[in-house]
Amino acid sequence: MNYFLTEEQQMIRDLARQIAEEKVVPQRAELDEKEEFPWEVMKTLAQSDMFGIFIPEEFGGLGMGSFELCLAVEELSRACLGVSTSYAANALGTYPILLFGTEEQKERFLPDIAAGRRLVAFALTEANAGSDAAGVQTTAVKDGDHYVLNGTKQWITNGGEAEIYTVIAITDRTRGARGASAFIVEKGAPGFSFGKKEKKMGIRASVTRELIFEDCRIPKENMLGREGMGFIVAMKTLDQSRVGVGAQGVGVAQGALDEAVKFARQRVQFGKPIISFQAVQHMLADMATQVEAARALVYAVARYVDSGAKEITKASAMAKVFATDMAMKVTTDAVQVMGGSGYMREYPVEKMMRDAKILQIYEGTNQIQRNVIGQALVREAARKA
Amino acid sequence: MKIIVCIKQVPDTAEVRINPETNTLVRDGVPSIINPYDLHALEAGLRLKEQVGGTVTALTMGPPQAEEALREAISMGADDAVLLTDRAFAGADTLATAYALSRAARKVGFDLILCGKQAIDGDTAQVGPEMAELLGIPHIAYVKGLVGFSVEGVRVQRLMEDGYDIVESPLPVLLTVVKELNEPRLPSLKGKMRARKAEIRRLTREDIGAEEERVGLKGSPTQVRRIFAPETRKERKMLTGTAEEQVTRLVEELKSLKCI
Amino acid sequence: MRIVVDPEKCTGCEACLSSCPYDAIVMKGDKAFINEYCQFCRACLEVCPEGAIKEREEEAPVGGPGGFRGVWVFAEQRGGRVADVAFELLGAGRRLADARGVELSAVLFGGGSEEARRLIHWGADRVYHAESPVFEHFNDEPYVALLERLVSEYRPEIVLAGATPMGRSFFPRVAARLGTGLTADCTSLEIDPDTGNLLQIRPAFGGNIMATILCPRHRPQMATVRPRVMKKGVPDEEREGEVIEVKADGITSRTSVIETIKEVSEARVNLQEADVIVAGGRGLGGPEGFRMLEELAKVLGGAVGASRAAVDEGWMPYSHQVGQTGQTVCPRLYIACGISGAVQHLVGMQSSDIIVAINKNPEAPIFDVANYGIVGDVHEVVPALIKRIKEVKGI
């Protein structure tokens, strides 16, 4: 397929692919096995300007958008979803600053982020606030020129490794959803510490930790947007980043498909390579078709997001839900095509299958995505009526 | 500090094969790459530049399409690039190549020249030292570590068969480097964008003032008489008997093949 | 010399186009044409079904420009001892000298007169020997200066050196100073019976092809030869010959060796550059198995590799892994011990010159790429192999 990429877009895709093949593939099994954060890969990505893709040129970035970011995410995901999660979570944490930061905040943080000198994380989820984001219990109380944060964030990707955190906390419990605000918290802030590192089923190269705030004082200049805008910051951020999760789905599925095809050509049963059997061909054909359909949707939505459209929630939810359900199916089928070999850690597809599962869960479960799409349909119908 | 890094565009040899029936190279779809050893030379040049300042110029001799390799060097961080290209250079062996490159290096100017230890297509490892000779400068081959660097000179680790030597040389000097020296960086996006627009300086035989009899085929003392496929693997021999018998047989065979 | 297409015979079938490694054949109208990118590799010659591609013969065949006579071997010494490769070269040089009906001489810088005499035992008729403090350590310039001086004075027709780090470093400079040709890493040297030229055969393209190289119009003909390729002769302590002491006056070096560090650990031998690799897999049963392989590697002067399975088990560090996700290697000898031969491993080692497979399972795919197969328990076979090699090598 030809998606008519510009020369610059091809450049991003090619370089991301080169990094994936040369720096990620050789060590992905080890990173998974040892549950090790891929610092070396992050350094390579930084040196290659990959962290600056979606950051404006005035702040040291390349001034491109979601689509270009998706191209890079897709290529990294093809090699290792753990690595691409660490990379994409950085973008997720950066969007609040990009979308709602003041000039001063942008100048303070974006150049370091664009250069990959400092890693970012986004902190919304808590023990009682997952799909129900309104359940956030972490509080931020104003005290003179500071806010004082208390509470615990859970399952924060890049937690402990990142140096910059965008955190959603309640500033006024009486106002419900309008009582939350967003803050930038830097590693090393007094009263800010990290909890245990989670042991996960997949994406084990990525790090997931608790963030613990105990009377954590941060200057009031670190608030993003105005007081009470916390959930808007969070929702707009997720609207931007969701299509990236779709790109992760396309990438990991493509990676699994590639492995399955390669294996099916080599594996001989009944005196023939198994790829010559129609039963196998049909499975591969369905996998390839699904990957391509998801890619077309993800690319279209990413371009739509970059067009500056206001209402992107439904489209980005569609891209996420379709591409990630597809990824789960295709990676599972890749294991099936490869049979016993596919199930063994000797080959990468069992890892891809384990990794893919998270895509249906994080950044809003696929059930929540369907709610979002459904509600949008209801609203649109009501508007027409 | 003016640093020249010599690079060569080579076919990815891992994918070149010979058709044993026709005795010809099979190269359908074989990609061209920068000689891998040269990437280590480039990395060394870039790191020195980052430490002590200066410029890194990538230099290659080859057909016009070798420009691609130079752009890749720029995308990794080289400041500029020179393509030595002229139909008069065709058919050059190592001596004629070294002569042309040495003339070009003189024209560009340098304090330090870095080369990969050898190119993976020819594997001769001759062009670097021959260039140094023709330039009348010292060289150190098989550099695996840079221990010290100043305007006066370099101190390096030189790989030898039984270990390594610490060797010093004044500048200007030519170094050929091995893979242990460093881990080459990948290009950056900004570098790639710069490379796309960069002006590649082209030099011809006349530009570098090279004598006609000393370049290309005319200037090459050696000639390729023929190429052919290496002997293909003989039929597999399964050894039998007790472990001792098998081992004795094996050692005899390996001795006759000069493997032991 | 040129390679040309005979337009009379060319049918325009385009069969030759893809045979050219340099994209030098293009269609001009309905005929093939060879343009200036031609590197004279001759790859196209036999592809043409019509025989339309031809070499236009060079000027008069050369029987060796006059005044150059004799075969020389540069004998490398390090730490005062002549390297083995010098004796191998004397074996090859003797053959060439006899074929040409000329004398064989060796050149030795440093090392002492005892070592000089040994070169005679190994086949040299004459040894040019120089002693000077400048040869205490290896620096290129003094070696270049004195060898060039001797060659210019005595005018040998062939000069050989070992393709060692030393030989490959300073020999090109000598050739450049003399303005003659040099062929690196030869695996075979013959005299062309018709012209008397030296036929120098060497691998190229990573060993994927072999090439015969000539140096017809220049003398001396210079070549380096890989260690362990040529056969040593038999030393004869009674052999007579002449040692000529030469002076190294006025020879200086701009480079200087500050320190020489010996590294005997096998880890030094980078897998990529090792001549011999002994590799182990899951069949070794544990990390102890690798201690055994290290010993085998040591007696063979090689490096230790490992399959992905063994690395995954934590028996060997990743840096030793051979295969698709590890390193690709092509040593002269690859001994696979307890490695079943998954495709991922085979792609990393199957271009090795000689492959020996030792495995319990006679069906293991590793045997498909092996030259020699031993079906047996590695724990039995490998110690026996170590013992046998030690006996043969007398260590």
Side-chain angles (χ1 to χ4, degrees), chain B residues 13 17 24 121-123 133 137 158 161 164 166 168 223-226 228 233 236-237 239 253, chain C residues 21 42-43 138 168 173 177 202 205 208 210 212 214 256 258-259 261 268 352 367 371-373:
Chain B
T13 54
R17 288 283 177 280
T24 54
D121 54 351
D123 283 330
E133 176 62 32
I137 61 169
R158 172 180 69 187
E161 258 178 320
Y164 63 93
I166 308 275
E168 273 186 356
Q223 295 175 1
V224 180
R225 167 51 59 94
R226 87 183 177 104
F228 54 99
R233 183 144 295 148
R236 157 176 48 127
K237 285 187 196 161
L239 307 176
E253 294 273 357
Chain C
R42 296 169 173 78
F138 170 63
R168 291 180 106 211
R173 282 195 89 123
R177 194 169 294 185
R202 70 180 304 266
F205 285 96
N208 290 315
M210 302 296 289
T212 306
L214 283 183
S256 49
I258 305 299
E259 203 184 341
I261 292 105
R268 184 188 74 79
S352 307
F367 288 119
N371 302 73
Y372 299 101

Side-chain angles (χ1 to χ4, degrees), chain B residues 251-252 255 260, chain C residues 387-395:
Chain B
V251 171
E252 267 168 31
K255 263 183 79 178
I260 292 182
Chain C
K387 190 165 155 253
R388 183 76 196 130
I389 293 168
K390 279 186 174 170
E391 283 166 17
V392 169
K393 289 193 149 187
I395 43 177

Side-chain angles (χ1 to χ4, degrees), chain C residues 170-186:
Chain C
F170 91 95
F171 232 48
R173 282 195 89 123
V174 177
R177 194 169 294 185
L178 291 164
T180 189
L182 170 60
T183 306
D185 280 349
C186 296

Side-chain angles (χ1 to χ4, degrees), chain C residues 150-170:
Chain C
L150 292 174
V151 168
S152 295
E153 186 176 342
Y154 296 100
R155 297 163 75 84
E157 61 196 288
I158 293 172
V159 187
L160 309 176
T164 59
M166 192 191 285
R168 291 180 106 211
S169 178
F170 91 95

Side-chain angles (χ1 to χ4, degrees), chain B residues 40 143-145 159 178-183, chain C residues 268 270 273:
Chain B
H40 295 266
V143 171
K144 73 159 192 136
L159 198 64
V178 299
K179 287 185 174 177
E180 285 97 318
L181 180 61
N182 55 39
E183 178 74 26
Chain C
R268 184 188 74 79
N270 184 309
E273 282 159 19

